[in-house]
Amino acid sequence: MLIIDVINDLEFPGGENVLPWALRMVERLSPFAERMRKAGVPVIYVNDNFDLWRSSFTDVYKHCTRKDSRGQRVARALKPRPDDYFILKPKHSAFFATSLVPLLEHLGTKKLLLAGIATNLCVFFSAHDAHMHEYKITVLSDCCCAESDKDHDLALDQLQRFLRVRVCRGDEVHLQPRSRRRATRKPPPEWK
């Protein structure tokens, strides 16, 4: 599961419009991510570095949860757990100039669940690049947000029409038990 740009100060033009949608997104994304953790699905946060090039996750988290940060409530509510993965990215896509592909290969990943901010930007570009890497992709419509319904819906429509991305709500994701087989590394469970 990729959770994109939710550790976010929302201090960008239009961030004030994203905030109410992001607060609603938290209500669904937080329990969904916990359900995935309990099922053994690796949860990977891929987050903007906010031009803090010498930063770590801790630095980015502190930046986004500071008192005057518009997005502090969202970032605090979606703080990664100790067993989650966290990758900083310099641009929109979770794949561009990051260590995401080697991590996914290490985990034996074939399918990706995508969620986060903003549906029409970083989630959209990440889904596009995931498609180019030939992953099967599901975007969780109720666990993403944008500045407006129009932006959100248009991005999801484009992903469905042109990339054949599955778009569904989190409550429509059903985990399927994996068949028993020997493996050197325990692969994540399958979902449909």
Side-chain angles (χ1 to χ4, degrees):
M1 175 174 190
L2 298 184
I3 301 179
I4 301 163
D5 282 346
V6 298
I7 308 304
N8 199 316
D9 63 7
L10 299 178
E11 297 293 334
F12 53 81
E16 68 280 1
N17 298 325
V18 174
L19 180 60
W21 297 106
L23 291 170
R24 284 186 214 124
M25 176 196 69
V26 166
E27 295 171 8
R28 294 181 272 312
L29 180 52
S30 183
F32 183 84
E34 192 57 34
R35 187 176 131 217
M36 294 300 103
R37 289 179 187 105
K38 287 179 181 174
V41 174
V43 175
I44 305 168
Y45 284 73
V46 185
N47 219 91
D48 196 307
N49 70 3
F50 298 99
D51 289 327
L52 302 171
W53 286 94
R54 292 187 173 123
S55 62
S56 65
F57 164 70
T58 303
D59 298 329
V60 170
Y61 185 77
K62 284 180 186 174
H63 170 79
C64 293
T65 57
R66 68 191 188 281
K67 256 190 204 180
D68 62 340
S69 169
R70 182 183 288 137
Q72 69 171 300
R73 291 186 308 180
V74 174
R76 285 188 178 134
L78 294 172
K79 183 179 181 180
R81 304 294 190 269
D83 288 343
D84 294 339
Y85 297 90
F86 194 92
I87 295 174
L88 292 177
K89 65 182 181 67
K91 296 285 183 185
H92 296 82
S93 173
F95 289 85
F96 179 76
T98 72
S99 59
L100 182 58
V101 170
L103 174 59
L104 294 173
E105 288 172 356
H106 170 75
L107 295 171
T109 304
K110 303 286 185 227
K111 298 178 182 182
L112 293 173
L113 292 165
L114 273 64
I117 302 172
T119 315
N120 60 324
L121 293 168
C122 297
V123 174
F124 183 85
F125 287 109
S126 297
H128 184 272
D129 284 356
H131 174 76
M132 298 298 285
H133 284 279
E134 299 184 351
Y135 290 102
K136 287 187 75 175
I137 308 158
T138 298
V139 175
L140 304 172
S141 61
D142 62 338
C143 294
C144 294
C145 65
E147 283 188 53
S148 69
D149 273 344
K150 180 182 176 184
D151 291 339
H152 176 78
D153 293 342
L154 180 61
L156 295 176
D157 178 64
Q158 295 290 302
L159 291 172
Q160 283 180 302
R161 287 178 57 208
F162 300 113
L163 301 183
R164 305 285 188 249
V165 167
R166 178 180 179 226
V167 174
C168 68
R169 295 183 320 271
D171 63 2
E172 296 174 314
V173 173
H174 303 289
L175 296 172
Q176 297 176 326
R178 293 190 61 90
S179 61
R180 295 204 180 262
R181 63 179 180 179
R182 295 180 188 265
T184 55
R185 167 174 358 99
K186 183 180 177 186
E190 295 287 330
W191 64 85
K192 63 175 187 166

